[in-house]
Amino acid sequence: MEELKKLIRDVPDFPQKGIIFKDITTLIKDKNGFKRAIDLLKEKINHLNFEKFVAIESRGYIFGAALAYLMDKGLVIVRKPGKLPAETIQEEYSLEYGTNTIEMHKDAINKGEKVVIIDDLLATGGTARATAKLIERLGGKVEGVLFLIELDFLKGIEKLKGYNIYSIIHY
Ligand code: AMP
């Protein structure tokens, strides 16, 4: 864990003043670091029974794609508005910095399908909660919510009460 922490770069005042941005580009450019991160993420949820990962734009895709391949799962992408080409459903949510809307294809998840949400970082939990709502509106079931990094002091898990949260690195 400590070796992974060393590979994550703190960028102060990005994207706005007062935010310390946890930059994972320094981790994923390191082949051992990236591999270790994927292996640890897999370990955390290996016991879960599910069909698909639901990855959150955009850094969630990096980890979601590698895990889906490694674990033989499907991959659904949650995107910012206007990016997905077919029919979508939307949810509005609030971020650590500002508000946003996310979209998912209407046919991305089948009724009763079990999924795991994946993103790089849990901050306030707004994005992951909105993603869970999209999944549930389509009749899917959230078996777990997986993060590489959790900012404990923002208490994102409180917004995700009732869900199984898994994270590797805590600040
Ligand atoms: P939240 O909805 O507040 O949990 O925010 C989570 C989303 O915002 C994730 O997709 C993160 O990548 C991004 N994010 C929020 N805060 C930070 C931060 N301090 N460093 C890096 N990414 C962040």
Side-chain angles (χ1 to χ4, degrees), residues 45 48-54 64 67-69 71-76 108-117 140-144:
I45 52 151
L48 297 178
N49 173 26
F50 65 103
E51 301 297 321
K52 289 170 177 168
F53 281 101
V54 176
L67 282 166
Y69 179 81
M71 298 182 73
D72 210 10
K73 307 290 181 187
L75 181 66
V76 168
I109 288 160
N110 304 319
K111 277 206 167 56
E113 201 163 41
K114 294 174 177 170
V115 305
V116 168
I117 297 171
K141 190 167 179 315
V142 179
E143 291 297 301

Side-chain angles (χ1 to χ4, degrees), residues 111-170:
K111 277 206 167 56
E113 201 163 41
K114 294 174 177 170
V115 305
V116 168
I117 297 171
I118 169 87
D119 202 0
D120 67 328
L121 182 142
L122 172 60
T124 66
T127 318
R129 190 170 69 173
T131 302
K133 277 193 196 159
L134 286 176
I135 293 162
E136 286 160 1
R137 279 168 61 193
L138 293 175
K141 190 167 179 315
V142 179
E143 291 297 301
V145 192
L146 179 63
F147 301 96
L148 181 68
I149 303 163
E150 180 174 343
L151 303 182
D152 296 344
F153 54 93
L154 290 175
K155 301 190 168 67
I157 51 165
E158 286 180 7
K159 239 184 214 161
L160 294 171
K161 274 212 175 91
Y163 296 100
N164 297 316
I165 313 299
Y166 304 95
S167 35
I168 309 289
I169 299 163
H170 294 259

Side-chain angles (χ1 to χ4, degrees), residues 19-22 56-57 59 93-97 119-128 151:
I19 303 289
I20 298 174
F21 193 86
K22 297 290 178 193
I56 298 174
E57 183 164 359
R59 289 177 297 277
Y93 67 103
S94 54
L95 270 176
E96 190 185 358
Y97 37 88
D119 202 0
D120 67 328
L121 182 142
L122 172 60
T124 66
T127 318
L151 303 182

